[in-house]
Amino acid sequence: MLDRLALLVIGECVADIVREPGAADRVHAGGSPANVAYGLARLGRSTTLLTQLGQDANGRLIRDHLASAGVRVRTDGCGAPTPSAAVTLDDAGRATYTFEITWSLAPVTPERPAQHVHTGSIAAVVEPGAGTVLATVEALRATATVSYDPNVRPELMGDHTEAVRRVERCVALSDVVKASDEDLAWLYPSEAPEKAAERWLRSGPAVVLVTRGAEGASAFLPGATSSVAAVPVPVVDTVGAGDAFMSGTLHALAAHGLLGEGGRARLRSLDTGTLGDVLRHGAASAAVTVARAGALPPDAEELAAGLTRAPVPKA
């Protein structure tokens, strides 16, 4: 374990049933927050996942998958079936999703105090569990830094106006926010992603990151930006790429002492050089993931190798 920084991820686990032309269905452990927790643990970070899992075959598969990386799993014991998603891949490896999900997370007290909390995706917008997620983040924010990734799933977001309100409330509670250009296009169809990111930045976060798939990623600070190109790799599929970017980013922020106690103040004085290193870690982590099947983010050795191929960010 790298250090004693306690990371808490709150959100859904999903059994991804992957379908592609000419191949038999494959089941992978997934769910955006679960993928982030798994990625952090594979990088040596002390990580707990607060989630909802059923006592079924998919639930057992996901528990075993998370345990293999060292993730501590806390559940609310509600007994609801494990959520699932049919993931259809096209010939270029791009994924589309069809969900079968209920999210009714009940309050659970973490086993140890969290120094950083990450949440997002379905967990932060689908009721009744979203209320628990928001209340937990609000309670922990006084002593922990917070990160958020909306990971928009349009078919589960409900009313657009209400979804935007929920997302913006989570953004305002967060220190670090990551969104894809597709997320922002759905949330704000008449606004350029850069403008939306800059507006979010003014609402509370210290840094907002925008991923653009094969076009790389950008980060926004008050008065400064930094961008990095995507690492060139052959793409097998894009499942979990954004989550791997998030875990790589959080890993780098922790390494720079920007999470946990005192992290919020240090994030407010983040320089573009450090931010560029953080972006490289996110890009390298995503590149490792898209080069193989499923949401399988890198371990520390694989990330180090990926960083040797990562482009230098541009301010």
Side-chain angles (χ1 to χ4, degrees):
M1 201 63 65
L2 286 174
D3 54 38
R4 298 183 63 81
L5 182 73
L7 299 165
L8 175 66
V9 179
I10 309 173
E12 74 275 3
C13 294
V14 178
D16 287 337
I17 305 166
V18 181
R19 294 169 178 159
E20 55 187 321
D25 288 357
R26 295 174 282 120
V27 180
H28 294 290
S32 177
N35 291 341
V36 173
Y38 182 77
L40 287 166
R42 275 179 63 81
L43 292 170
R45 297 290 172 187
S46 176
T47 308
T48 298
L49 175 65
L50 175 55
T51 191
Q52 178 180 302
L53 275 177
Q55 300 297 320
D56 48 32
N58 286 339
R60 291 190 293 274
L61 179 148
I62 292 172
R63 283 180 183 275
D64 290 346
H65 171 76
L66 293 167
S68 72
V71 178
R72 300 177 183 88
V73 179
R74 294 293 311 280
T75 65
D76 64 358
C78 70
T82 301
S84 64
V87 185
T88 303
L89 302 176
D90 64 16
D91 292 336
R94 292 183 294 264
T96 56
Y97 297 80
T98 304
F99 295 94
E100 187 174 330
I101 287 177
T102 57
W103 177 245
S104 55
L105 186 73
V108 177
T109 302
E111 291 179 325
R112 56 186 297 205
Q115 292 160 291
H116 181 80
V117 182
H118 174 76
T119 192
S121 193
I122 297 162
V125 295
V126 174
E127 293 291 4
T132 298
V133 173
L134 189 62
T136 304
V137 171
E138 288 177 329
L140 295 174
R141 189 179 184 277
T143 55
T145 44
V146 177
S147 57
Y148 171 67
D149 175 4
N151 192 45
V152 168
R153 299 294 182 230
E155 59 269 49
L156 296 175
M157 300 295 283
D159 176 75
H160 184 270
T161 300
E162 176 63 16
V164 171
R165 186 192 68 80
R166 288 177 179 270
V167 167
E168 290 180 345
R169 187 173 179 186
C170 291
V171 168
L173 287 171
S174 302
D175 302 290
V176 178
V177 176
K178 185 214 65 110
S180 70
D181 53 355
E182 292 179 347
D183 293 336
L184 293 171
W186 187 85
L187 291 164
Y188 309 109
S190 62
E191 188 173 20
E194 297 85 358
K195 295 299 182 184
E198 289 168 354
R199 185 163 48 77
W200 276 5
L201 192 63
R202 294 192 293 272
S203 73
V207 57
V208 175
L209 304 107
V210 178
T211 58
R212 306 173 187 277
E215 302 303 315
S218 299
F220 297 81
L221 297 173
T225 61
S226 183
S227 298
V228 67
V231 182
V233 293
V235 175
V236 174
D237 69 49
T238 62
V239 177
D243 304 324
F245 184 97
M246 190 80 244
S247 58
T249 294
L250 293 176
H251 174 67
L253 288 169
H256 284 287
L258 296 168
L259 302 182
E261 187 176 0
R264 183 168 290 124
R266 289 190 289 272
L267 275 169
R268 298 292 165 180
S269 58
L270 182 61
D271 61 90
T272 54
T274 301
L275 183 61
D277 183 63
V278 170
L279 275 175
R280 288 182 70 247
H281 277 75
S285 181
V288 172
T289 304
V290 301
R292 55 196 182 193
L296 184 58
D299 61 21
E301 184 176 341
E302 291 168 331
L303 179 57
L307 284 167
T308 65
R309 303 188 297 272
V312 175
K314 297 179 181 179

